[in-house]
Short mmCIF file of all heavy atoms in Angstrom, two decimals:
data_model
loop_
_atom_site.label_atom_id
_atom_site.label_comp_id
_atom_site.label_asym_id
_atom_site.label_seq_id
_atom_site.Cartn_x
_atom_site.Cartn_y
_atom_site.Cartn_z
N HIS M 1 103.29 104.57 96.57
CA HIS M 1 102.76 103.66 95.54
C HIS M 1 102.16 102.39 96.22
O HIS M 1 101.21 101.81 95.75
CB HIS M 1 103.87 103.24 94.54
CG HIS M 1 104.26 104.36 93.64
ND1 HIS M 1 105.37 104.26 92.80
CD2 HIS M 1 103.72 105.56 93.39
CE1 HIS M 1 105.44 105.40 92.05
NE2 HIS M 1 104.47 106.19 92.43
N GLU M 2 102.76 101.99 97.31
CA GLU M 2 102.20 100.87 98.07
C GLU M 2 100.83 101.17 98.59
O GLU M 2 100.05 100.27 98.84
CB GLU M 2 103.13 100.50 99.26
CG GLU M 2 104.44 99.83 98.82
CD GLU M 2 105.43 99.67 99.95
OE1 GLU M 2 105.10 100.08 101.10
OE2 GLU M 2 106.52 99.15 99.74
N LYS M 3 100.51 102.45 98.73
CA LYS M 3 99.18 102.86 99.18
C LYS M 3 98.24 103.21 97.99
O LYS M 3 97.22 103.83 98.16
CB LYS M 3 99.29 104.05 100.12
CG LYS M 3 100.03 103.71 101.39
CD LYS M 3 100.11 104.96 102.29
CE LYS M 3 100.78 104.63 103.60
NZ LYS M 3 99.97 103.66 104.43
N ASN M 4 98.70 102.86 96.77
CA ASN M 4 97.94 103.11 95.57
C ASN M 4 97.71 104.61 95.30
O ASN M 4 96.63 105.04 94.93
CB ASN M 4 96.60 102.37 95.54
CG ASN M 4 96.78 100.89 95.19
OD1 ASN M 4 97.89 100.44 94.88
ND2 ASN M 4 95.67 100.13 95.26
N ILE M 5 98.72 105.38 95.59
CA ILE M 5 98.71 106.84 95.35
C ILE M 5 99.81 107.20 94.35
O ILE M 5 100.91 106.70 94.44
CB ILE M 5 98.96 107.63 96.63
CG1 ILE M 5 97.82 107.37 97.68
CG2 ILE M 5 99.09 109.13 96.36
CD1 ILE M 5 98.09 107.90 99.03
N LEU M 6 99.43 107.98 93.34
CA LEU M 6 100.40 108.58 92.40
C LEU M 6 100.59 110.06 92.69
O LEU M 6 99.63 110.78 92.97
CB LEU M 6 99.93 108.41 90.95
CG LEU M 6 99.85 107.00 90.39
CD1 LEU M 6 99.35 107.08 88.90
CD2 LEU M 6 101.20 106.30 90.43
N HIS M 7 101.82 110.52 92.65
CA HIS M 7 102.08 111.91 92.92
C HIS M 7 101.76 112.78 91.74
O HIS M 7 101.05 113.79 91.83
CB HIS M 7 103.56 112.12 93.25
CG HIS M 7 103.88 113.52 93.72
ND1 HIS M 7 104.13 114.51 92.77
CD2 HIS M 7 104.06 114.08 94.90
CE1 HIS M 7 104.43 115.63 93.40
NE2 HIS M 7 104.36 115.41 94.69
N LEU M 8 102.25 112.39 90.54
CA LEU M 8 101.88 112.98 89.22
C LEU M 8 102.39 114.40 88.99
O LEU M 8 102.02 115.05 88.06
CB LEU M 8 100.39 112.98 89.00
CG LEU M 8 99.75 111.57 88.88
CD1 LEU M 8 98.22 111.70 88.77
CD2 LEU M 8 100.32 110.82 87.67
N ASP M 9 103.31 114.89 89.86
CA ASP M 9 103.91 116.24 89.61
C ASP M 9 105.31 116.29 90.21
O ASP M 9 105.69 117.24 90.86
CB ASP M 9 103.03 117.31 90.19
CG ASP M 9 103.27 118.63 89.52
OD1 ASP M 9 103.85 118.69 88.42
OD2 ASP M 9 102.91 119.70 90.14
N ILE M 10 106.12 115.25 89.94
CA ILE M 10 107.48 115.24 90.46
C ILE M 10 108.34 116.09 89.52
O ILE M 10 108.37 115.88 88.30
CB ILE M 10 108.03 113.76 90.49
CG1 ILE M 10 107.15 112.95 91.40
CG2 ILE M 10 109.46 113.75 90.94
CD1 ILE M 10 107.32 111.44 91.23
N LYS M 11 109.08 117.01 90.13
CA LYS M 11 109.96 117.88 89.41
C LYS M 11 110.85 118.58 90.46
O LYS M 11 110.58 118.53 91.66
CB LYS M 11 109.21 118.94 88.60
CG LYS M 11 108.19 119.78 89.39
CD LYS M 11 107.36 120.69 88.50
CE LYS M 11 106.29 121.42 89.29
NZ LYS M 11 105.46 122.26 88.45
N PRO M 12 111.98 119.17 90.07
CA PRO M 12 112.90 119.77 91.05
C PRO M 12 112.31 120.78 92.04
O PRO M 12 112.67 120.83 93.16
CB PRO M 12 113.99 120.40 90.15
CG PRO M 12 114.00 119.59 88.96
CD PRO M 12 112.52 119.21 88.66
N SER M 13 111.31 121.54 91.52
CA SER M 13 110.71 122.54 92.42
C SER M 13 109.79 121.94 93.47
O SER M 13 109.40 122.58 94.46
CB SER M 13 109.92 123.55 91.62
OG SER M 13 108.94 122.94 90.85
N ASN M 14 109.44 120.63 93.32
CA ASN M 14 108.61 119.97 94.31
C ASN M 14 109.41 119.04 95.19
O ASN M 14 108.85 118.14 95.86
CB ASN M 14 107.50 119.19 93.60
CG ASN M 14 106.33 120.07 93.20
OD1 ASN M 14 106.19 121.19 93.73
ND2 ASN M 14 105.49 119.64 92.28
N ILE M 15 110.73 119.20 95.20
CA ILE M 15 111.61 118.44 96.07
C ILE M 15 112.39 119.44 96.92
O ILE M 15 113.18 120.22 96.35
CB ILE M 15 112.56 117.54 95.34
CG1 ILE M 15 111.74 116.50 94.50
CG2 ILE M 15 113.51 116.80 96.27
CD1 ILE M 15 112.61 115.66 93.53
N LEU M 16 112.17 119.44 98.21
CA LEU M 16 112.88 120.36 99.10
C LEU M 16 114.05 119.61 99.77
O LEU M 16 113.92 118.43 100.10
CB LEU M 16 111.98 120.91 100.17
CG LEU M 16 110.80 121.79 99.72
CD1 LEU M 16 110.10 122.37 100.93
CD2 LEU M 16 111.29 122.91 98.80
N ILE M 17 115.16 120.30 99.96
CA ILE M 17 116.27 119.80 100.73
C ILE M 17 116.32 120.50 102.06
O ILE M 17 116.47 121.71 102.11
CB ILE M 17 117.60 119.96 99.94
CG1 ILE M 17 117.50 119.45 98.52
CG2 ILE M 17 118.72 119.27 100.71
CD1 ILE M 17 117.08 117.97 98.41
N ASP M 18 116.12 119.75 103.15
CA ASP M 18 116.02 120.39 104.44
C ASP M 18 117.38 120.71 105.02
O ASP M 18 118.40 120.49 104.39
CB ASP M 18 115.17 119.51 105.41
CG ASP M 18 115.82 118.16 105.73
OD1 ASP M 18 117.05 118.07 105.62
OD2 ASP M 18 115.10 117.26 106.15
N SER M 19 117.38 121.26 106.22
CA SER M 19 118.62 121.74 106.83
C SER M 19 119.61 120.64 107.17
O SER M 19 120.76 120.92 107.35
CB SER M 19 118.29 122.54 108.13
OG SER M 19 117.57 121.74 109.03
N SER M 20 119.15 119.38 107.19
CA SER M 20 120.06 118.29 107.43
C SER M 20 120.50 117.60 106.15
O SER M 20 121.18 116.57 106.16
CB SER M 20 119.39 117.23 108.37
OG SER M 20 118.26 116.67 107.71
N GLY M 21 120.11 118.17 105.00
CA GLY M 21 120.51 117.63 103.70
C GLY M 21 119.68 116.50 103.20
O GLY M 21 120.03 115.79 102.28
N LYS M 22 118.45 116.32 103.77
CA LYS M 22 117.56 115.25 103.34
C LYS M 22 116.50 115.80 102.39
O LYS M 22 115.98 116.91 102.55
CB LYS M 22 116.85 114.65 104.56
CG LYS M 22 117.80 114.07 105.64
CD LYS M 22 118.65 112.95 105.10
CE LYS M 22 119.51 112.38 106.19
NZ LYS M 22 120.44 111.30 105.70
N ALA M 23 116.17 115.02 101.34
CA ALA M 23 115.15 115.42 100.38
C ALA M 23 113.79 115.15 100.91
O ALA M 23 113.51 114.14 101.57
CB ALA M 23 115.36 114.64 99.07
N ARG M 24 112.85 116.08 100.65
CA ARG M 24 111.45 115.97 101.07
C ARG M 24 110.56 116.25 99.91
O ARG M 24 110.66 117.28 99.25
CB ARG M 24 111.15 116.92 102.22
CG ARG M 24 112.13 116.82 103.40
CD ARG M 24 111.85 115.64 104.27
NE ARG M 24 110.56 115.72 104.92
CZ ARG M 24 110.40 116.31 106.11
NH1 ARG M 24 111.45 116.88 106.68
NH2 ARG M 24 109.20 116.34 106.68
N LEU M 25 109.63 115.30 99.58
CA LEU M 25 108.72 115.46 98.50
C LEU M 25 107.51 116.26 98.96
O LEU M 25 106.93 115.96 100.02
CB LEU M 25 108.25 114.05 98.00
CG LEU M 25 107.36 113.98 96.77
CD1 LEU M 25 108.01 114.59 95.57
CD2 LEU M 25 106.96 112.53 96.52
#
């Protein structure tokens, strides 16, 4: 958002949890 970008498709299927347990958009 600080870069004036909107994602516009946030939902559970677009959030990955990596092998270290961190969320990735």
Side-chain angles (χ1 to χ4, degrees):
H1 290 171
E2 288 170 2
K3 296 180 177 294
N4 283 355
I5 296 170
L6 292 180
H7 185 278
L8 295 176
D9 201 19
I10 299 162
K11 55 186 176 182
S13 57
N14 281 342
I15 299 172
L16 297 186
I17 309 304
D18 65 22
S19 57
S20 63
K22 304 297 184 184
R24 306 286 292 274
L25 185 60

